[in-house]
Amino acid sequence: AQSVAQPEDQVNVAEGNPLTVKCTYSVSGNPYLFWYVQYPNRGLQFLLKYITGDNLVKGSYGFEAEFNKSQTSFHLKKPSALVSDSALYFCAVRGGGDYKLSFGAGTTVTVRA
Amino acid sequence: DAGITQSPRHKVTETGTPVTLRCHQTENHRYMYWYRQDPGHGLRLIHYSYGVKDTDKGEVSDGYSVSRSKTEDFLLTLESATSSQTSVYFCAISAGLAGTGNEQFFGPGTRLTVL
């Protein structure tokens, strides 16, 4: 069975500071990893994904994520957070051969001005 | 929201009544999914479809059924709604073969309240 853990329910940072949202996963075989963002009363928006290759993946809105196979982690990062980055962030994983995604419980990010 | 619409967007109903939610896509993607979102649980897969008339159960399928008679439409039915089915329901689509790295695209959601 595949699973995702987002160990922090909430992350609070000041605008301009680095932002990190943590994600660890468990899956059989090679993982496909995704990050999504949800703004209030909206659907989920795709941010970035890791399939294979370079461990550092760059995505939308200045976000990036680092795949670490030995630590089974896929942390989302942004060098300088904006107030508009305040939202709910979801990590998701899919094992090879399966097209079903497993989502983490989500992390609420609040960026204060 | 990537050519995906959901209807209705909001619905209030009473326990024991049937409810049907509709997902419509204009992307001609093969795979369609229904999720429910509840606080502390993230998104949980209810049912999915891998083609017209081809559907399968997800992790929380009890009390739900689905149908897909056309590529563009995926219906979710609550045969007899219960208060535990109060939730926000999201439809998603994806292209490509099973096991590939295609991301899913999500609709705007339907907020369902069962009284």
Side-chain angles (χ1 to χ4, degrees):
Chain A
Q2 57 192 33
S3 64
V4 176
Q6 294 181 239
E8 299 162 316
D9 292 336
Q10 291 198 336
V11 170
N12 298 304
V13 297
E15 189 173 35
N17 282 1
L19 170 64
T20 298
V21 186
K22 296 179 180 177
C23 171
T24 59
Y25 67 90
S26 174
V27 69
S28 298
N30 293 322
Y32 298 143
L33 294 153
F34 303 82
W35 275 103
Y36 288 85
V37 61
Q38 185 181 31
Y39 299 101
N41 300 312
R42 299 287 300 276
L44 278 69
Q45 297 179 26
F46 169 73
L47 276 180
L48 50 79
K49 65 181 178 182
Y50 171 82
I51 304 303
T52 188
D54 193 348
N55 289 343
L56 184 64
V57 177
K58 295 188 181 298
S60 306
Y61 312 120
F63 283 95
E64 58 189 28
E66 186 169 11
F67 171 64
N68 188 316
K69 187 173 183 178
S70 63
Q71 296 185 5
T72 61
S73 67
F74 189 56
H75 301 330
L76 181 70
K77 300 179 180 182
K78 187 170 184 179
S80 179
L82 301 173
V83 172
S84 58
D85 294 327
S86 298
L88 182 57
Y89 291 80
F90 290 101
C91 182
V93 68
R94 179 168 60 212
D98 193 342
Y99 45 82
K100 293 174 287 184
L101 277 179
S102 294
F103 284 84
T107 299
T108 299
V109 170
T110 301
V111 182
R112 60 186 185 275
Chain B
D1 290 312
I4 309 169
T5 57
Q6 293 185 230
S7 59
R9 294 293 312 280
H10 302 271
K11 186 170 182 66
V12 179
T13 191
E14 294 187 350
T15 298
T17 60
V19 176
T20 296
L21 309 182
R22 179 180 182 240
C23 177
H24 178 78
Q25 62 147 328
T26 59
E27 307 295 325
N28 200 35
H29 282 357
R30 176 178 176 183
Y31 299 97
M32 299 185 75
Y33 312 81
W34 276 108
Y35 292 90
R36 59 178 291 172
Q37 182 180 19
D38 304 290
H41 291 279
L43 273 75
R44 293 180 290 176
L45 183 65
I46 304 171
H47 281 280
Y48 62 97
S49 170
Y50 46 96
V52 174
K53 299 189 186 303
D54 292 323
T55 65
D56 205 349
K57 296 179 179 180
E59 61 181 308
V60 290
S61 60
D62 288 347
Y64 301 94
S65 63
V66 291
S67 65
R68 191 170 178 198
S69 59
K70 298 184 292 184
T71 298
E72 57 266 35
D73 290 325
F74 193 32
L75 304 181
L76 177 70
T77 297
L78 291 66
E79 300 291 347
S80 178
T82 68
S83 58
S84 65
Q85 294 174 312
T86 292
S87 186
V88 180
Y89 292 85
F90 287 99
C91 175
I93 63 174
S94 65
L97 297 173
T100 62
N102 292 281
E103 57 270 28
Q104 293 181 10
F105 299 97
F106 286 79
T110 294
R111 185 173 296 275
L112 176 67
T113 302
V114 183
L115 301 176

